[in-house]
């Protein structure tokens, strides 16, 4: 058999022990905040029925779903003429839907909504859950954008209270403060966007408008206007949209401005303005220090959002949004549980990891898998070191014993290549004095430590 060159699909990654240590630090930090706010853990399958996923993310999102071929003869329901037609017109989507009944999850929110409906008799509402799992998107891989990546979601379902939106903003503040990342949270409301669409006379093109203006930061105002024209908006409507997209001032000034613009043209838009005002009042009352910016161009492309929407960006590192979410009133209704509102936010773990790496913000100990290596002198000293190692491990210190009595240079090199902080020596002298010699490989400092105090010393 020919030797196969090892490799992995584009847009996916292996994670080394060092990277996993840092990822676990990130996940543990996020989980600790989630738990502090009363959220319970949940996991759902990697695969869902395609019927669960399709139609929830908009036309562009549906194109990015990874579909899983049916088992067995998956072509038995497809005629040769259908295959030929799909090949000739370059549109295999219809065939894909026939030969695939399952797909990899695109996000964690839709599976969560499915779970809530499926298990509604077992749940107590409002139901608060957090979920940290990978998701998949058939996107073009590039820096900061992967085909397989991990999301850290926190959601509340079964309550319309805007207190939950304020709480989610507090969670964003606490997570990024703990990670020492400076961020800004951008805020908008889909009801305001609908009100804008009504005000410019194109309520029927709400989706087209939101998809286009959501790209404002990426492609600029001129390109957005061209896309709006291509989507059927009149020049007059696009002109009326310009002052809205270019609003300036603080949050309260923007609220006043959009209130004047919408006026009595849209009841839905006025309700969105009221919701934003209430949320800003909450944030003032609890003295949120996180920068929060009302951005009326923020749309978030997912079709299921109906109220507040959020997006978080790092201030000191060039990357796309690292966190986002919003209110969804109708998502569970698709699965048979109407009138059950939910709101949530998702932390993009992989992008946050890139920010932490780029800004050198990971604590040194995050990458540690072993804190101390016990040198091996062989004979009775090896037994003595093994005994002390056992006591140290029982005290909760991650430690190891070099497996053979090799030259000390080889043992030192091993410890340094693994990034181990301490070398512990239990030689003949140490056995007699019952004091270990402990060397900090990062600083070069060396200490004599009684056996019964070694664990505490290594835990510093």
């Amino acid at each position: 058999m020919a030797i196969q060159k090892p490799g992995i699909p584009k847009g996916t990654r292996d994670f080394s022990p060092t990277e996993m240590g840092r990822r676990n630090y990130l996940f543990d930090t996020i989980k600790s905040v989630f738990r502090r706010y009363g959220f319970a853990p949940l996991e759902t399958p990697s695969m869902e029925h395609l019927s669960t996923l399709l139609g929830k993310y908009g036309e562009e999102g549906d194109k990015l779903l990874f579909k899983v071929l049916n088992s067995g003869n998956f072509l038995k329901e497809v005629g040769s003429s259908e295959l030929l037609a799909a090949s000739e017109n370059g549109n295999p989507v219809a065939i894909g839907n026939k030969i695939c009944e399952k797909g990899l999850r695109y996000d964690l929110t839709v599976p969560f909504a499915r779970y809530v409906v499926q298990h509604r008799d077992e749940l107590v509402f409002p139901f608060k859950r957090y979920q940290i799992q990978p998701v998949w998107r058939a996107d073009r891989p590039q820096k900061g954008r992967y085909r397989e990546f991990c999301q850290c979601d926190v959601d509340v379902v079964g309550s319309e209270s805007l207190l939950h939106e304020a709480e989610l903003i507090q969670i964003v503040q606490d997570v990024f403060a703990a990670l020492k990342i400076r961020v800004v949270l951008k805020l908008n409301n889909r009801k305001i966007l609908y009100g804008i669409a009504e005000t410019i006379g194109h309520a029927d093109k709400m989706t087209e408008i939101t998809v286009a203006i959501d790209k404002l930061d990426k492609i600029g105002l001129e390109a957005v206007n061209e896309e709006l024209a291509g989507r059927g908006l009149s020049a007059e409507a696009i002109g009326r949209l310009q002052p809205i997209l270019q609003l300036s001032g603080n949050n309260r000034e923007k609220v006043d401005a959009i209130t004047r613009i919408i006026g009595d043209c849209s009841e839905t838009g006025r309700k969105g303005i009221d919701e934003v005002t209430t949320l800003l009042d909450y944030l003032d009352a609890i003295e949120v220090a996180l920068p929060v910016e009302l951005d009326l161009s923020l749309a978030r492309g997912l079709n299921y959002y109906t109220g507040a929407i959020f997006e978080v960006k790092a201030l000191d590192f060039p990357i796309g949004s690292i966190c986002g979410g919003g209110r969804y009133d109708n998502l569970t209704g698709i699965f048979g549980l109407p009138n059950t509102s939910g709101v949530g936010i998702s932390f993009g773990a992989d992008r946050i990891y890139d920010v932490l790496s780029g800004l050198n913000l990971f604590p040194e100990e995050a990458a540690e898998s072993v804190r101390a290596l016990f040198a091996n002198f062989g004979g009775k000293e090896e037994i003595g070191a093994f005994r002390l190692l056992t006591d140290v491990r029982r005290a909760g210190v991650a430690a190891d014993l070099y497996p053979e009595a090799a030259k000390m240079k080889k043992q030192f090199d091993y410890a340094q290549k693994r990034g181990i902080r301490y070398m512990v020596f239990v030689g003949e002298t140490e056995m007699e004095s019952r004091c270990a010699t402990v060397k900090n490989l990062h600083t070069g400092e060396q200490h004599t430590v009684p056996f019964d105090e070694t664990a505490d010393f290594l835990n510093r």
Side-chain angles (χ1 to χ4, degrees), residues 162-214:
L162 296 178
L163 287 170
H164 297 305
E165 275 86 335
E167 183 178 65
L168 290 176
I169 292 175
Q170 283 183 303
I171 288 173
V172 170
Q173 174 179 265
D174 289 359
V175 165
F176 289 111
L179 295 173
K180 297 180 174 58
I181 297 175
R182 295 195 320 122
V183 299
V184 59
L185 183 143
K186 296 197 172 187
L187 165 70
N188 201 4
N189 192 294
R190 291 288 284 233
K191 294 183 179 72
I192 293 179
L193 290 171
Y194 183 80
I196 291 171
E198 278 196 310
T199 301
I200 67 173
H202 278 290
D204 59 321
K205 293 189 178 293
M206 163 72 172
T207 300
E208 289 86 345
I209 293 171
T210 56
V211 168
I213 69 174
D214 197 40

Short mmCIF file of all heavy atoms in Angstrom, two decimals, residues 162-214:
data_model
loop_
_atom_site.label_atom_id
_atom_site.label_comp_id
_atom_site.label_asym_id
_atom_site.label_seq_id
_atom_site.Cartn_x
_atom_site.Cartn_y
_atom_site.Cartn_z
N LEU A 162 -36.95 42.36 29.22
CA LEU A 162 -35.72 42.97 28.72
C LEU A 162 -34.60 42.93 29.76
O LEU A 162 -33.46 43.28 29.46
CB LEU A 162 -35.98 44.41 28.29
CG LEU A 162 -36.94 44.59 27.11
CD1 LEU A 162 -37.15 46.07 26.82
CD2 LEU A 162 -36.42 43.89 25.86
N LEU A 163 -34.92 42.51 30.97
CA LEU A 163 -33.87 42.30 31.97
C LEU A 163 -32.84 41.29 31.46
O LEU A 163 -31.66 41.37 31.78
CB LEU A 163 -34.47 41.81 33.29
CG LEU A 163 -35.23 42.85 34.12
CD1 LEU A 163 -35.97 42.15 35.26
CD2 LEU A 163 -34.27 43.90 34.68
N HIS A 164 -33.31 40.32 30.66
CA HIS A 164 -32.39 39.30 30.15
C HIS A 164 -31.39 39.91 29.18
O HIS A 164 -30.21 39.52 29.17
CB HIS A 164 -33.17 38.17 29.47
CG HIS A 164 -34.08 37.42 30.40
ND1 HIS A 164 -33.63 36.82 31.56
CD2 HIS A 164 -35.41 37.17 30.34
CE1 HIS A 164 -34.64 36.24 32.17
NE2 HIS A 164 -35.73 36.44 31.45
N GLU A 165 -31.83 40.87 28.36
CA GLU A 165 -30.89 41.54 27.46
C GLU A 165 -29.81 42.27 28.27
O GLU A 165 -28.62 42.20 27.94
CB GLU A 165 -31.63 42.55 26.57
CG GLU A 165 -32.24 41.94 25.32
CD GLU A 165 -33.63 41.37 25.53
OE1 GLU A 165 -33.96 41.01 26.67
OE2 GLU A 165 -34.39 41.27 24.56
N ALA A 166 -30.24 42.94 29.33
CA ALA A 166 -29.27 43.64 30.19
C ALA A 166 -28.32 42.65 30.84
O ALA A 166 -27.11 42.90 30.96
CB ALA A 166 -30.01 44.45 31.26
N GLU A 167 -28.85 41.50 31.25
CA GLU A 167 -28.02 40.47 31.87
C GLU A 167 -26.99 39.93 30.89
O GLU A 167 -25.82 39.70 31.26
CB GLU A 167 -28.93 39.35 32.38
CG GLU A 167 -28.22 38.23 33.11
CD GLU A 167 -29.20 37.19 33.62
OE1 GLU A 167 -29.85 36.52 32.78
OE2 GLU A 167 -29.33 37.04 34.83
N LEU A 168 -27.39 39.72 29.64
CA LEU A 168 -26.44 39.23 28.63
C LEU A 168 -25.32 40.24 28.40
O LEU A 168 -24.16 39.85 28.21
CB LEU A 168 -27.17 38.94 27.32
CG LEU A 168 -28.13 37.75 27.33
CD1 LEU A 168 -28.86 37.65 25.99
CD2 LEU A 168 -27.39 36.45 27.63
N ILE A 169 -25.64 41.51 28.43
CA ILE A 169 -24.60 42.53 28.27
C ILE A 169 -23.66 42.51 29.47
O ILE A 169 -22.43 42.68 29.32
CB ILE A 169 -25.24 43.92 28.06
CG1 ILE A 169 -25.95 43.94 26.70
CG2 ILE A 169 -24.19 45.02 28.14
CD1 ILE A 169 -26.73 45.21 26.42
N GLN A 170 -24.20 42.27 30.66
CA GLN A 170 -23.34 42.10 31.84
C GLN A 170 -22.40 40.90 31.66
O GLN A 170 -21.22 40.95 32.03
CB GLN A 170 -24.19 41.89 33.09
CG GLN A 170 -24.82 43.15 33.65
CD GLN A 170 -25.58 42.86 34.94
OE1 GLN A 170 -26.49 42.02 34.97
NE2 GLN A 170 -25.20 43.54 36.00
N ILE A 171 -22.93 39.81 31.11
CA ILE A 171 -22.11 38.62 30.89
C ILE A 171 -20.98 38.94 29.92
O ILE A 171 -19.82 38.53 30.13
CB ILE A 171 -22.99 37.46 30.37
CG1 ILE A 171 -23.86 36.92 31.50
CG2 ILE A 171 -22.14 36.34 29.77
CD1 ILE A 171 -24.89 35.89 31.06
N VAL A 172 -21.29 39.65 28.84
CA VAL A 172 -20.25 40.06 27.90
C VAL A 172 -19.18 40.87 28.62
O VAL A 172 -17.97 40.65 28.45
CB VAL A 172 -20.86 40.87 26.74
CG1 VAL A 172 -19.77 41.52 25.89
CG2 VAL A 172 -21.74 39.98 25.86
N GLN A 173 -19.62 41.82 29.44
CA GLN A 173 -18.67 42.65 30.20
C GLN A 173 -17.78 41.79 31.09
O GLN A 173 -16.55 41.95 31.11
CB GLN A 173 -19.44 43.66 31.05
CG GLN A 173 -18.56 44.47 31.98
CD GLN A 173 -19.37 45.49 32.78
OE1 GLN A 173 -19.48 46.63 32.39
NE2 GLN A 173 -19.94 45.05 33.89
N ASP A 174 -18.39 40.85 31.82
CA ASP A 174 -17.62 40.05 32.78
C ASP A 174 -16.65 39.09 32.09
O ASP A 174 -15.52 38.90 32.55
CB ASP A 174 -18.58 39.25 33.67
CG ASP A 174 -19.33 40.14 34.65
OD1 ASP A 174 -19.10 41.36 34.65
OD2 ASP A 174 -20.17 39.61 35.41
N VAL A 175 -17.09 38.48 30.97
CA VAL A 175 -16.22 37.54 30.26
C VAL A 175 -14.98 38.25 29.74
O VAL A 175 -13.84 37.82 29.96
CB VAL A 175 -16.97 36.85 29.11
CG1 VAL A 175 -15.99 36.15 28.16
CG2 VAL A 175 -17.96 35.83 29.65
N PHE A 176 -15.18 39.36 29.05
CA PHE A 176 -14.03 40.02 28.43
C PHE A 176 -13.17 40.76 29.44
O PHE A 176 -11.97 40.94 29.22
CB PHE A 176 -14.49 40.92 27.28
CG PHE A 176 -14.97 40.12 26.09
CD1 PHE A 176 -16.31 40.10 25.73
CD2 PHE A 176 -14.08 39.36 25.35
CE1 PHE A 176 -16.75 39.36 24.66
CE2 PHE A 176 -14.50 38.61 24.27
CZ PHE A 176 -15.84 38.60 23.92
N ALA A 177 -13.77 41.16 30.55
CA ALA A 177 -12.95 41.73 31.63
C ALA A 177 -12.04 40.65 32.21
O ALA A 177 -10.86 40.90 32.48
CB ALA A 177 -13.84 42.32 32.72
N ALA A 178 -12.59 39.44 32.39
CA ALA A 178 -11.78 38.34 32.93
C ALA A 178 -10.66 37.96 31.96
O ALA A 178 -9.57 37.57 32.38
CB ALA A 178 -12.68 37.13 33.21
N LEU A 179 -10.93 38.07 30.66
CA LEU A 179 -9.92 37.72 29.65
C LEU A 179 -8.99 38.89 29.34
O LEU A 179 -8.03 38.73 28.58
CB LEU A 179 -10.62 37.27 28.37
CG LEU A 179 -11.45 35.98 28.46
CD1 LEU A 179 -12.22 35.76 27.18
CD2 LEU A 179 -10.57 34.78 28.78
N LYS A 180 -9.30 40.08 29.89
CA LYS A 180 -8.49 41.29 29.70
C LYS A 180 -8.49 41.77 28.23
O LYS A 180 -7.51 42.33 27.74
CB LYS A 180 -7.06 41.08 30.19
CG LYS A 180 -6.97 40.81 31.69
CD LYS A 180 -5.53 40.61 32.14
CE LYS A 180 -5.42 40.48 33.66
NZ LYS A 180 -6.20 39.38 34.21
N ILE A 181 -9.61 41.53 27.54
CA ILE A 181 -9.77 42.00 26.16
C ILE A 181 -10.68 43.23 26.18
O ILE A 181 -11.79 43.18 26.71
CB ILE A 181 -10.40 40.92 25.26
CG1 ILE A 181 -9.47 39.69 25.17
CG2 ILE A 181 -10.66 41.46 23.86
CD1 ILE A 181 -10.08 38.53 24.40
N ARG A 182 -10.22 44.33 25.60
CA ARG A 182 -11.06 45.52 25.48
C ARG A 182 -11.98 45.37 24.28
O ARG A 182 -11.52 45.09 23.17
CB ARG A 182 -10.21 46.78 25.34
CG ARG A 182 -9.36 47.11 26.55
CD ARG A 182 -8.81 48.54 26.51
NE ARG A 182 -8.37 48.93 25.18
CZ ARG A 182 -8.86 50.00 24.53
NH1 ARG A 182 -9.80 50.75 25.07
NH2 ARG A 182 -8.41 50.31 23.32
N VAL A 183 -13.27 45.55 24.49
CA VAL A 183 -14.25 45.36 23.43
C VAL A 183 -15.27 46.49 23.43
O VAL A 183 -15.39 47.24 24.40
CB VAL A 183 -14.99 44.01 23.57
CG1 VAL A 183 -14.03 42.83 23.50
CG2 VAL A 183 -15.81 43.96 24.87
N VAL A 184 -16.03 46.57 22.34
CA VAL A 184 -17.20 47.43 22.25
C VAL A 184 -18.38 46.55 21.83
O VAL A 184 -18.23 45.66 20.99
CB VAL A 184 -17.00 48.58 21.25
CG1 VAL A 184 -16.69 48.07 19.85
CG2 VAL A 184 -18.22 49.50 21.23
N LEU A 185 -19.53 46.78 22.46
CA LEU A 185 -20.74 46.04 22.10
C LEU A 185 -21.63 46.96 21.27
O LEU A 185 -21.99 48.05 21.72
CB LEU A 185 -21.48 45.56 23.34
CG LEU A 185 -22.74 44.71 23.09
CD1 LEU A 185 -22.88 43.60 24.13
CD2 LEU A 185 -24.02 45.56 23.08
N LYS A 186 -21.96 46.51 20.06
CA LYS A 186 -22.86 47.26 19.20
C LYS A 186 -24.27 46.70 19.36
O LYS A 186 -24.46 45.48 19.39
CB LYS A 186 -22.39 47.20 17.75
CG LYS A 186 -21.04 47.86 17.55
CD LYS A 186 -20.76 48.19 16.11
CE LYS A 186 -19.48 49.02 15.99
NZ LYS A 186 -19.27 49.49 14.61
N LEU A 187 -25.24 47.60 19.44
CA LEU A 187 -26.61 47.25 19.77
C LEU A 187 -27.55 47.82 18.73
O LEU A 187 -27.36 48.93 18.24
CB LEU A 187 -26.95 47.82 21.16
CG LEU A 187 -28.42 47.89 21.58
CD1 LEU A 187 -28.96 46.49 21.84
CD2 LEU A 187 -28.54 48.77 22.84
N ASN A 188 -28.58 47.03 18.36
CA ASN A 188 -29.66 47.53 17.53
C ASN A 188 -30.91 46.72 17.85
O ASN A 188 -30.89 45.86 18.75
CB ASN A 188 -29.31 47.44 16.04
CG ASN A 188 -30.15 48.38 15.18
OD1 ASN A 188 -30.96 49.16 15.68
ND2 ASN A 188 -29.97 48.29 13.87
N ASN A 189 -31.98 46.96 17.12
CA ASN A 189 -33.23 46.23 17.32
C ASN A 189 -33.86 45.98 15.97
O ASN A 189 -34.01 46.90 15.16
CB ASN A 189 -34.17 47.04 18.22
CG ASN A 189 -35.35 46.23 18.71
OD1 ASN A 189 -36.21 45.80 17.93
ND2 ASN A 189 -35.41 46.01 20.02
N ARG A 190 -34.23 44.72 15.71
CA ARG A 190 -34.81 44.38 14.40
C ARG A 190 -36.14 45.10 14.18
O ARG A 190 -36.52 45.36 13.03
CB ARG A 190 -35.00 42.87 14.31
CG ARG A 190 -33.72 42.06 14.22
CD ARG A 190 -33.04 42.21 12.88
NE ARG A 190 -33.69 41.45 11.86
CZ ARG A 190 -33.07 40.57 11.05
NH1 ARG A 190 -31.78 40.37 11.18
NH2 ARG A 190 -33.73 39.92 10.13
N LYS A 191 -36.85 45.42 15.25
CA LYS A 191 -38.11 46.17 15.07
C LYS A 191 -37.82 47.56 14.51
O LYS A 191 -38.59 48.09 13.70
CB LYS A 191 -38.85 46.27 16.41
CG LYS A 191 -39.36 44.94 16.95
CD LYS A 191 -40.16 45.16 18.23
CE LYS A 191 -40.70 43.84 18.79
NZ LYS A 191 -39.63 43.01 19.38
N ILE A 192 -36.72 48.16 14.94
CA ILE A 192 -36.34 49.46 14.38
C ILE A 192 -36.00 49.31 12.90
O ILE A 192 -36.39 50.16 12.08
CB ILE A 192 -35.14 50.05 15.16
CG1 ILE A 192 -35.55 50.41 16.59
CG2 ILE A 192 -34.60 51.29 14.44
CD1 ILE A 192 -34.42 50.96 17.44
N LEU A 193 -35.30 48.24 12.55
CA LEU A 193 -34.97 48.01 11.15
C LEU A 193 -36.23 47.86 10.31
O LEU A 193 -36.31 48.37 9.19
CB LEU A 193 -34.07 46.78 11.02
CG LEU A 193 -32.64 46.94 11.55
CD1 LEU A 193 -31.93 45.59 11.56
CD2 LEU A 193 -31.86 47.94 10.70
N TYR A 194 -37.22 47.14 10.86
CA TYR A 194 -38.49 47.00 10.13
C TYR A 194 -39.16 48.37 10.02
O TYR A 194 -39.73 48.72 8.97
CB TYR A 194 -39.42 46.02 10.84
CG TYR A 194 -40.72 45.80 10.09
CD1 TYR A 194 -40.78 44.94 9.00
CD2 TYR A 194 -41.88 46.49 10.46
CE1 TYR A 194 -41.96 44.76 8.29
CE2 TYR A 194 -43.07 46.31 9.76
CZ TYR A 194 -43.11 45.44 8.68
OH TYR A 194 -44.28 45.27 7.98
N GLY A 195 -39.08 49.15 11.09
CA GLY A 195 -39.65 50.50 11.05
C GLY A 195 -38.98 51.36 10.00
O GLY A 195 -39.65 52.15 9.31
N ILE A 196 -37.66 51.21 9.84
CA ILE A 196 -36.95 51.95 8.80
C ILE A 196 -37.44 51.52 7.42
O ILE A 196 -37.68 52.36 6.54
CB ILE A 196 -35.43 51.72 8.95
CG1 ILE A 196 -34.90 52.39 10.22
CG2 ILE A 196 -34.68 52.22 7.72
CD1 ILE A 196 -33.47 52.04 10.57
N ALA A 197 -37.59 50.20 7.24
CA ALA A 197 -38.08 49.69 5.95
C ALA A 197 -39.47 50.23 5.64
O ALA A 197 -39.77 50.61 4.50
CB ALA A 197 -38.09 48.16 5.97
N GLU A 198 -40.32 50.29 6.66
CA GLU A 198 -41.66 50.86 6.46
C GLU A 198 -41.58 52.35 6.13
O GLU A 198 -42.29 52.85 5.25
CB GLU A 198 -42.51 50.67 7.72
CG GLU A 198 -43.16 49.31 7.84
CD GLU A 198 -44.28 49.29 8.86
OE1 GLU A 198 -44.03 49.76 10.00
OE2 GLU A 198 -45.39 48.83 8.53
N THR A 199 -40.72 53.05 6.84
CA THR A 199 -40.61 54.50 6.66
C THR A 199 -40.15 54.88 5.26
O THR A 199 -40.60 55.89 4.70
CB THR A 199 -39.64 55.08 7.71
OG1 THR A 199 -40.13 54.78 9.03
CG2 THR A 199 -39.48 56.58 7.57
N ILE A 200 -39.26 54.08 4.66
CA ILE A 200 -38.78 54.39 3.30
C ILE A 200 -39.64 53.74 2.24
O ILE A 200 -39.31 53.79 1.05
CB ILE A 200 -37.30 54.00 3.12
CG1 ILE A 200 -37.11 52.47 3.17
CG2 ILE A 200 -36.42 54.69 4.15
CD1 ILE A 200 -35.70 52.02 2.83
N GLY A 201 -40.75 53.10 2.66
CA GLY A 201 -41.70 52.56 1.71
C GLY A 201 -41.37 51.20 1.16
O GLY A 201 -41.87 50.82 0.09
N HIS A 202 -40.57 50.42 1.87
CA HIS A 202 -40.19 49.10 1.37
C HIS A 202 -40.27 48.05 2.47
O HIS A 202 -39.33 47.26 2.67
CB HIS A 202 -38.78 49.12 0.78
CG HIS A 202 -38.72 49.62 -0.63
ND1 HIS A 202 -39.21 48.92 -1.70
CD2 HIS A 202 -38.25 50.79 -1.13
CE1 HIS A 202 -39.02 49.60 -2.81
NE2 HIS A 202 -38.44 50.75 -2.49
N ALA A 203 -41.38 48.01 3.19
CA ALA A 203 -41.56 46.99 4.23
C ALA A 203 -41.49 45.59 3.65
O ALA A 203 -41.09 44.64 4.33
CB ALA A 203 -42.89 47.20 4.94
N ASP A 204 -41.84 45.45 2.36
CA ASP A 204 -41.81 44.15 1.71
C ASP A 204 -40.38 43.66 1.45
O ASP A 204 -40.18 42.48 1.13
CB ASP A 204 -42.56 44.21 0.38
CG ASP A 204 -41.97 45.24 -0.58
OD1 ASP A 204 -41.56 46.33 -0.11
OD2 ASP A 204 -41.91 44.95 -1.79
N LYS A 205 -39.41 44.56 1.60
CA LYS A 205 -38.01 44.18 1.34
C LYS A 205 -37.16 44.26 2.60
O LYS A 205 -35.97 44.55 2.55
CB LYS A 205 -37.42 45.08 0.23
CG LYS A 205 -38.06 44.85 -1.13
CD LYS A 205 -37.32 45.58 -2.22
CE LYS A 205 -37.95 45.30 -3.57
NZ LYS A 205 -37.79 43.89 -3.97
N MET A 206 -37.79 43.98 3.74
CA MET A 206 -37.09 44.00 5.02
C MET A 206 -35.84 43.12 4.98
O MET A 206 -34.75 43.53 5.38
CB MET A 206 -38.04 43.54 6.12
CG MET A 206 -37.38 43.12 7.43
SD MET A 206 -36.72 44.51 8.35
CE MET A 206 -36.26 43.68 9.88
N THR A 207 -35.97 41.88 4.49
CA THR A 207 -34.83 40.96 4.46
C THR A 207 -33.73 41.48 3.56
O THR A 207 -32.54 41.46 3.93
CB THR A 207 -35.29 39.56 3.99
OG1 THR A 207 -36.27 39.07 4.90
CG2 THR A 207 -34.11 38.60 3.95
N GLU A 208 -34.09 41.94 2.37
CA GLU A 208 -33.08 42.44 1.43
C GLU A 208 -32.33 43.63 2.01
O GLU A 208 -31.11 43.75 1.88
CB GLU A 208 -33.75 42.85 0.11
CG GLU A 208 -34.25 41.69 -0.73
CD GLU A 208 -35.66 41.26 -0.35
OE1 GLU A 208 -36.14 41.65 0.74
OE2 GLU A 208 -36.26 40.50 -1.13
N ILE A 209 -33.06 44.50 2.69
CA ILE A 209 -32.43 45.69 3.28
C ILE A 209 -31.46 45.29 4.39
O ILE A 209 -30.32 45.76 4.44
CB ILE A 209 -33.50 46.66 3.81
CG1 ILE A 209 -34.31 47.24 2.65
CG2 ILE A 209 -32.87 47.77 4.62
CD1 ILE A 209 -35.53 48.03 3.08
N THR A 210 -31.90 44.40 5.28
CA THR A 210 -31.05 44.02 6.42
C THR A 210 -29.81 43.27 5.96
O THR A 210 -28.72 43.48 6.50
CB THR A 210 -31.82 43.18 7.44
OG1 THR A 210 -32.39 42.03 6.79
CG2 THR A 210 -32.93 43.97 8.08
N VAL A 211 -29.96 42.39 4.96
CA VAL A 211 -28.81 41.65 4.45
C VAL A 211 -27.77 42.62 3.88
O VAL A 211 -26.56 42.46 4.09
CB VAL A 211 -29.23 40.62 3.38
CG1 VAL A 211 -28.02 40.06 2.64
CG2 VAL A 211 -30.01 39.47 4.03
N ALA A 212 -28.24 43.64 3.18
CA ALA A 212 -27.32 44.59 2.55
C ALA A 212 -26.65 45.49 3.58
O ALA A 212 -25.42 45.62 3.59
CB ALA A 212 -28.07 45.43 1.51
N ILE A 213 -27.43 46.11 4.47
CA ILE A 213 -26.82 47.08 5.40
C ILE A 213 -25.98 46.39 6.46
O ILE A 213 -25.11 47.03 7.07
CB ILE A 213 -27.86 48.01 6.04
CG1 ILE A 213 -28.77 47.25 7.02
CG2 ILE A 213 -28.68 48.71 4.97
CD1 ILE A 213 -29.73 48.17 7.77
N ASP A 214 -26.18 45.08 6.67
CA ASP A 214 -25.34 44.35 7.61
C ASP A 214 -23.89 44.28 7.14
O ASP A 214 -22.99 43.98 7.91
CB ASP A 214 -25.90 42.94 7.81
CG ASP A 214 -25.35 42.26 9.05
OD1 ASP A 214 -25.21 42.94 10.09
OD2 ASP A 214 -25.05 41.05 8.99
#
